[in-house]
Amino acid sequence: MAENDFPGWHGTTIIGVRKGGRVVIAGDGQVSLGQTVIKGTARKVRRISPGGYDVVAGFAGSTADAFTLLERLETKLEATPGQLQRASVELAKDWRTDKYLQKLEAMLIVTDGTDLYVITGAGDVLEPEHDVTAIGSGGNYALAAGRALMDTELDAESIARRAMAIAADICVYTNGNLTVETIDGNDAS
């Protein structure tokens, strides 16, 4: 098989929802190679506590690349405890300019319970306009469902779970084996 014929790894949907003073990041467990499910129970949402401050991160893309980025984020947070925005911007700058990091294929959603960001290899640190963000193969489906559910009485976790269920019904690269992490914030949005 030629290098450019490799079917590629697919299969992650990660959503972040901020509502009622809480932020939830949920991710499915599917990893696929072409049309084959390789694993259905991967854990793509993690809680880290650099400098004693909790941060929840979810990743889509290459697992090894994502772990490299999570380690770098953790290092940035240890240098600037409690400053997620600053650490995220520093990570994005490094990711964009470092020749090794530029080759990494992953995206991150990170939160400290107050701030919620998507970090990309293009140097972006994006904060969602509507308190919902999503990445990965089924990200657009989860994002649409999550935004539609924001005006309901559902809490952040219920919105994330329902949005992920909708994405799993539509996207063949998304399943219903969820990892869900909740973190309390300072604002009561």
Side-chain angles (χ1 to χ4, degrees):
M1 180 181 277
E3 183 179 9
N4 59 354
D5 291 337
F6 182 74
W9 295 93
H10 293 282
T12 295
T13 301
I14 305 292
I15 188 169
V17 178
R18 179 174 45 208
K19 186 175 182 183
R22 299 188 118 180
V23 182
V24 173
I25 295 183
D28 78 316
Q30 185 163 311
V31 178
S32 304
L33 178 59
Q35 297 176 338
T36 304
V37 175
I38 300 298
K39 184 174 183 175
T41 58
R43 190 168 175 267
K44 303 169 204 163
V45 177
R46 310 266 177 187
R47 182 178 297 264
I48 57 177
S49 298
Y53 293 90
D54 280 349
V55 171
V56 175
F59 61 86
S62 165
T63 304
D65 292 357
F67 281 138
T68 299
L69 293 167
L70 285 174
E71 288 172 5
R72 293 282 181 122
L73 178 63
E74 204 163 4
T75 300
K76 299 291 183 191
L77 285 165
E78 286 169 354
T80 59
Q83 298 182 46
L84 180 61
Q85 181 179 30
R86 183 173 176 189
S88 297
V89 169
E90 290 298 317
L91 174 63
K93 282 197 287 190
D94 287 355
W95 195 354
R96 176 110 169 114
T97 59
D98 183 282
K99 295 228 185 270
Y100 168 72
L101 294 178
Q102 285 176 356
K103 297 179 191 321
L104 300 183
E105 296 181 5
M107 292 178 75
L108 301 174
I109 295 178
V110 298
T111 185
D112 59 3
T114 302
D115 294 320
L116 177 64
Y117 300 114
V118 174
I119 308 172
T120 75
D124 300 314
V125 178
L126 306 169
E127 185 170 17
E129 289 182 329
H130 303 283
D131 293 326
V132 179
T133 191
I135 57 175
S137 300
N140 287 336
Y141 307 117
L143 177 63
R147 284 193 49 191
L149 293 167
M150 285 297 284
D151 290 335
T152 67
E153 297 297 317
L154 295 174
D155 64 6
E157 183 172 342
S158 297
I159 291 170
R161 287 182 180 279
R162 288 181 86 179
M164 289 296 291
I166 290 167
D169 283 347
I170 297 169
C171 178
V172 297
Y173 298 115
T174 303
N175 71 19
N177 294 328
L178 299 183
T179 301
V180 179
E181 288 282 349
T182 302
I183 188 168
D184 290 328
N186 296 330
D187 84 28
S189 60

